[in-house]
Amino acid sequence: TFVLAVEAAADTDSSSFVRPLALEAISILAKNVPAHSAIPASGASLLYAQCLAGIAHSNSSPGLCGALCRAAAHTLGPFSFGSLGAVFLPAVIRQDKQADKYLDPARALGLSSAIALSDAIREYADMLGLPLTLKEMGVGKNPFLKSLSKISHRALSNLSNPSLSAGEAQKHIEQILRSAYSSKE
């Protein structure tokens, strides 16, 4: 839910109602998911956040993190979208040349920058015991390297309007994947 909401809020080409819905979903999640526990405080509030995030996501362009999650799940194995999102979203945010588009989602969490958002996602994932890298998820180096081009190509094909040329975009995606494989940054 969080990945979908952040990506919808960061979509600069979406309609005028997408960002407010996505930001409200982020705010609800921030208020209702205790920082010390994976157990939600309010099921109704989380359902509301999921609905808002789903509506926002359905009315926005596919984001790179979601595209990477789908491509990696199809190529590397049956990993959950949430676990892959926790690995990919910080890397996507950190390596986005237009990181300012993540300022509103960061502010919805009381943070001041896109980097702070990336750090907060990693800290929360670590606190919940989620893997922070593909390597920690059990993806071997050789299978990863063999599938790197395939994953980046699949992710690129899931994007409706990449901001870079196909060759540049594929290189950028491979860079994000390499960072997500073993980086702790």
Side-chain angles (χ1 to χ4, degrees):
T1 300
F2 184 74
V3 169
L4 300 179
V6 169
E7 286 202 316
D11 182 8
T12 57
D13 295 328
S14 63
S15 65
S16 60
F17 70 88
V18 167
R19 184 172 292 223
L21 291 175
L23 293 173
E24 181 64 16
I26 292 167
S27 294
I28 291 169
L29 290 170
K31 292 173 190 165
N32 289 285
V33 177
H36 61 279
S37 171
I39 300 170
S42 168
S45 293
L46 292 182
L47 178 61
Y48 186 52
Q50 287 176 323
C51 291
L52 290 173
I55 293 167
H57 175 72
S58 295
N59 289 283
S60 63
S61 299
L64 181 53
C65 181
L68 284 168
C69 290
R70 285 184 290 283
H74 286 292
T75 308
L76 295 176
F79 297 110
S80 75
F81 188 91
S83 293
L84 288 169
V87 169
F88 289 135
L89 189 56
V92 167
I93 292 169
R94 283 187 173 278
Q95 295 189 32
D96 195 323
K97 290 179 171 69
Q98 300 170 343
D100 285 353
K101 66 186 181 183
Y102 296 101
L103 281 176
D104 285 341
R107 289 180 183 136
L109 294 172
L111 304 169
S112 61
S113 70
I115 297 301
L117 175 62
S118 173
D119 291 344
I121 294 164
R122 288 184 60 83
E123 288 171 21
Y124 194 70
D126 187 42
M127 184 181 55
L128 294 176
L130 294 174
L132 302 179
T133 65
L134 293 173
K135 185 176 181 179
E136 288 179 25
M137 292 178 84
V139 177
K141 187 171 185 170
N142 287 335
F144 171 74
L145 292 174
K146 285 181 183 177
S147 61
L148 186 62
S149 178
K150 186 176 185 178
I151 297 169
S152 62
H153 180 72
R154 275 190 169 168
L156 183 58
S157 71
N158 285 324
L159 296 174
S160 60
N161 193 13
S163 59
L164 303 169
S165 71
E168 290 174 326
Q170 188 152 358
K171 286 180 186 175
H172 179 69
I173 291 169
E174 286 182 11
Q175 181 181 4
I176 291 169
L177 285 165
R178 288 178 194 277
S179 174
Y181 179 76
S182 63
S183 176
K184 296 275 186 187
E185 297 176 9

